[in-house]
């Protein structure tokens, strides 16, 4: 697969997409790209410079006046055109994510490619529904694009995260400078090809490859950038906030998570525990909303651990391109080493129920981690408090519903959660007490149009749906002499 992809030219061209065309990198530094399945190198990507960022920001600022002036229905047509072109390349996008990230191909098709296409098309639909100014007495409240957006995407869902920022931003009338992760940049190159193919006006979306300390910081600190949207670790999010604060620049942050599944004492235990295990391991656990803690009634802990171990054992590790694979490798060597260190720590802090150190059965190389379950974990243990970002589940016993909720809320994070109960109303009451941006009730499914984001140190702002559009807009009040004039003013 890697040779086929290299022949498509994604790694043998100029390295930044600026002002509607591919441009050579200002600097000469590059980062090798490694296939996480077999650890072979298959190309490299440019590490851009502050000068590359400056050129991209200038292009975005030049494009802003005409783009922001486009009527909503015209911006909707661009969203649809980009979505349709991405859809035609969906299989390529999925295979590139499997090659670069290590995701099983079935997962890549669904969670990487299909979701990215759906996100893009959804903003055409939101724009077609029209904007609604609000009249308050003699004032009309309008929303206007914030300006140039710096969009910094994480390495675990490269395509979805990049489009999940860039598309609502341009739908709102903003222009964008995007920085993909230097670890997993391949699908961003396909996105650039698509933008050229559909003829998106030059400068509306620019893509600069590079690392965080150079390109990321230059983007955050650039005075021509009006807002920064970032997905990644809480530590980096704090730094972005601090840098942006020097210019009082708006930020939207989706950061770390240590999300909990709370199983109440009347829940269908087997269904709940199996669902929790599956919720802990998507994308080999490299998912910010992964349900990495399972909180169960203390009197059911032994049964829960047996079920969890059985479910963990059903995952099949192997070649991401194999349709049978359900557990791929971690994305890169440094992260693999970090997760392995947490597993060693967990063996000192808790009881190992399944998995542990070493490679899974059936694989001989690659950045793989066994699907791991720790039992009888102290809620204050490091493996229960810190984001591991791998296929590692901590099972915690609670003596009551009250204690279960306290444990669920007892971390610095608040991104995701889940509740299981035979009584839906009881589940909702518990969910309302959980301090997180989203809670799945009895296995509730993913909703593309619903908002996603964090409480506490899991972030600021919301992505997806019309909530994301609002993130990229400023609110302005127009004051009229009387209420009749406010209602009669003809504004889009």
């Amino acid at each position: 697969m890697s040779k086929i992809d290299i022949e498509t030219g994604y790694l043998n061209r100029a390295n930044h997409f600026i002002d509607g065309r591919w441009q050579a990198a200002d600097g000469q530094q590059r980062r090798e790209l490694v296939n996480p399945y077999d650890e072979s190198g298959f190309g490299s990507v440019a590490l851009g410079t502050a000068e590359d960022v400056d050129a991209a920001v200038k292009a975005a600022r030049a494009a802003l006046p005409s783009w922001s002036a486009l009527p909503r229905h015209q911006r909707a047509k661009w969203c649809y055109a980009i979505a349709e072109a991405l859809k035609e390349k969906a299989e390529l996008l999925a295979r590139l994510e499997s090659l670069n990230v290590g995701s099983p191909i079935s997962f890549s098709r669904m969670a990487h490619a299909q979701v990215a296409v759906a996100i893009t098309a959804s903003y055409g639909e939101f724009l077609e529904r029209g904007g609604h100014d609000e009249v308050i007495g003699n004032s009309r409240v309008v929303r206007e694009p914030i300006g140039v957006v710096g969009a910094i995407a994480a390495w675990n869902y490269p395509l979805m995260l990049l489009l999940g920022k860039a598309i609502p931003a341009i739908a709102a009338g903003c222009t964008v400078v995007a920085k993909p992760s230097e670890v997993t940049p391949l699908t961003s190159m396909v996105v650039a090809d698509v933008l050229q193919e559909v003829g998106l006006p030059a400068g509306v979306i620019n893509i600069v490859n590079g690392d965080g300390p150079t390109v990321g910081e230059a983007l955050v600190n650039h005075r021509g950038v009006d807002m920064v949207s970032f997905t990644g670790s809480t530590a980096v999010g704090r730094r972005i906030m601090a840098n942006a604060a020097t210019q009082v620049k708006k930020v939207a942050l989706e950061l770390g998570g240590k999300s909990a599944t709370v199983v109440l004492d009347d829940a269908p235990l087997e269904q709940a525990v199996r669902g929790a295990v599956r919720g802990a391991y998507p994308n080999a656990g490299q998912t910010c909303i992964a349900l990495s803690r399972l909180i169960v009634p203390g009197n059911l802990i032994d049964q829960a651990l047996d079920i969890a171990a059985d479910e963990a054992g059903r995952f099949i590790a192997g070649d991401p391109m194999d349709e049978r694979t359900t557990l791929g490798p971690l994305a890169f060597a440094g992260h693999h080493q970090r997760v392995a260190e947490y597993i060693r720590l967990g063996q000192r802090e808790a009881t190992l129920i399944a998995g542990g150190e070493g490679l899974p059965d059936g694989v001989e190389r690659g950045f793989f981690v066994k699907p791991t379950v720790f039992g009888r974990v102290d809620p204050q243990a490091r493996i229960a408090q810190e984001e591991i970002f791998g296929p590692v589940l901590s099972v915690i016993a609670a003596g009551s519903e009250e204690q279960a909720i306290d444990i669920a809320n007892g971390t610095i994070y608040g991104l995701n959660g889940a509740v299981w109960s035979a009584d839906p109303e009881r589940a909702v009451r518990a969910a309302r007490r959980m301090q997180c941006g989203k809670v799945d009730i009895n296995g509730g499914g993913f909703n593309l149009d619903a908002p996603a984001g964090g409480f506490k140190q899991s972030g600021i702002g919301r992505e997806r749906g019309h909530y994301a559009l609002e993130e990229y807009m400023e609110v302005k009040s127009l004051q009229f002499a009387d209420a009749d004039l406010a209602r009669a003013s003809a504004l889009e």
Side-chain angles (χ1 to χ4, degrees):
M1 179 59 193
S2 59
K3 291 182 179 179
I4 295 173
D5 290 331
I6 289 172
E7 289 171 1
T8 66
Y10 292 117
L11 302 172
N12 297 315
R13 61 171 67 175
N15 296 105
H16 306 306
F17 184 75
I18 299 173
D19 204 21
R21 59 190 176 88
W22 286 99
Q23 298 190 21
D26 181 73
Q28 301 300 314
Q29 287 190 308
R30 303 185 70 84
R31 178 189 172 103
E32 183 183 16
L33 298 177
V34 175
N35 183 335
Y37 169 59
D38 62 13
E39 303 181 48
S40 64
F42 62 87
S44 63
V45 66
L47 296 178
T49 65
E51 288 73 22
D52 296 318
V53 172
D54 186 58
V57 173
K58 287 176 178 175
R61 293 221 71 87
L64 182 61
S66 58
W67 181 257
S68 62
L70 278 182
R72 294 169 65 96
H73 72 273
Q74 291 189 26
R75 295 200 299 272
K77 289 180 180 179
W78 284 113
C79 292
Y80 287 134
I82 295 169
E84 189 60 32
L86 289 169
K87 185 177 180 181
E88 293 176 0
K89 299 180 187 295
E91 182 64 16
L92 171 64
L93 290 165
R95 293 179 74 81
L96 287 174
E97 295 291 55
S98 290
L99 170 69
N100 206 184
V101 182
S103 305
I105 186 63
S106 59
F107 186 83
S108 290
R109 290 191 184 108
M110 179 269 294
H112 291 288
Q114 291 178 18
V115 169
V117 171
I119 285 173
T120 304
S122 74
Y123 286 100
E125 297 170 5
F126 283 119
L127 290 174
E128 284 188 333
R129 294 173 194 170
H132 299 285
D133 296 346
E134 181 183 4
V135 176
I136 304 173
N138 68 312
S139 301
R140 179 177 286 270
V141 180
V142 299
R143 289 170 173 79
E144 298 179 351
I146 197 168
V148 174
V149 174
I152 304 175
W155 50 263
N156 55 328
Y157 289 86
L159 177 67
M160 184 185 75
L161 292 174
L162 186 144
L163 293 173
K165 299 177 186 300
I167 298 302
I170 68 168
C174 300
T175 55
V176 174
V177 178
K179 189 198 92 65
S181 169
E182 70 276 18
V183 178
T184 53
L186 291 183
T187 47
S188 67
M189 299 185 183
V190 182
V191 170
D193 282 350
V194 163
L195 301 180
Q196 278 191 318
E197 179 183 318
V198 302
L200 187 72
V204 173
I205 297 179
N206 307 272
I207 300 173
V208 180
N209 286 302
D211 61 19
T214 303
V215 171
E217 295 231 358
L219 194 54
V220 172
N221 294 327
H222 200 292
R223 292 190 177 275
V225 173
D226 301 293
M227 173 184 171
V228 176
S229 177
F230 168 76
T231 297
S233 73
T234 295
V236 175
R238 294 190 195 108
R239 182 172 179 83
I240 287 173
M241 280 191 74
N243 287 353
T246 64
Q247 299 175 39
V248 197
K249 185 177 298 186
K250 183 176 181 180
V251 295
L253 306 172
E254 187 185 44
L255 307 176
K258 194 65 182 177
S259 303
T261 297
V262 174
V263 179
L264 300 180
D265 56 16
D266 63 344
L269 186 66
E270 180 152 347
Q271 183 183 4
V273 172
R274 292 191 186 279
V277 173
R278 291 191 293 270
Y281 296 163
N283 210 31
Q286 299 170 122
T287 300
C288 57
I289 61 171
L291 296 162
S292 55
R293 293 180 296 154
L294 170 59
I295 304 168
V296 299
N299 64 324
L300 301 176
I301 187 72
D302 290 332
Q303 292 173 256
L305 291 175
D306 287 344
I307 297 166
D310 180 75
E311 187 65 28
R314 299 186 181 202
F315 281 78
I316 301 170
D319 184 348
M321 298 300 175
D322 189 329
E323 301 285 351
R324 297 167 297 179
T325 297
T326 56
L327 183 76
L330 302 183
F332 56 99
H335 184 54
H336 179 260
Q337 180 179 355
R338 177 178 178 275
V339 173
E341 289 171 356
Y342 270 111
I343 290 174
R344 287 192 288 273
L345 172 65
Q347 290 175 310
R348 298 193 298 271
E349 289 189 326
T351 302
L352 181 66
I353 303 300
E357 297 183 76
L359 293 173
D361 292 341
V363 298
E364 298 178 354
R365 64 189 185 283
F367 306 137
F368 284 91
V369 171
K370 293 178 182 178
T372 296
V373 178
F374 287 107
R376 305 182 185 279
V377 179
D378 187 310
Q380 298 305 313
R382 285 182 59 192
I383 60 169
Q385 289 287 319
E386 299 175 14
E387 185 176 44
I388 298 173
F389 224 58
V392 181
L393 175 66
S394 294
V395 185
I396 303 169
S400 65
E401 178 179 333
E402 186 73 26
Q403 186 182 31
I405 299 300
D406 287 345
I407 293 170
N409 291 336
T411 74
I412 64 171
Y413 300 109
L415 193 58
N416 191 26
V419 176
W420 289 82
S421 172
D423 179 351
E425 292 185 2
R426 184 185 180 194
V428 168
R429 289 194 299 270
R432 292 294 300 269
R433 296 167 62 200
M434 294 176 71
Q435 298 167 353
C436 53
K438 180 174 75 69
V439 183
D440 301 333
I441 306 293
N442 291 334
F446 178 77
N447 183 350
L448 184 67
D449 293 339
F455 286 26
K456 300 187 286 185
Q457 293 190 38
S458 283
I460 296 172
R462 292 296 180 265
E463 297 193 339
R464 298 205 296 266
H466 70 83
Y467 298 89
L469 277 175
E470 293 171 6
E471 288 290 336
Y472 299 105
M473 291 181 175
E474 293 281 24
V475 177
K476 178 184 290 184
S477 293
L478 306 180
Q479 316 292 92
F480 292 83
D482 58 55
D484 288 340
L485 287 174
R487 285 191 294 271
S489 62
L491 297 174
E492 184 192 0

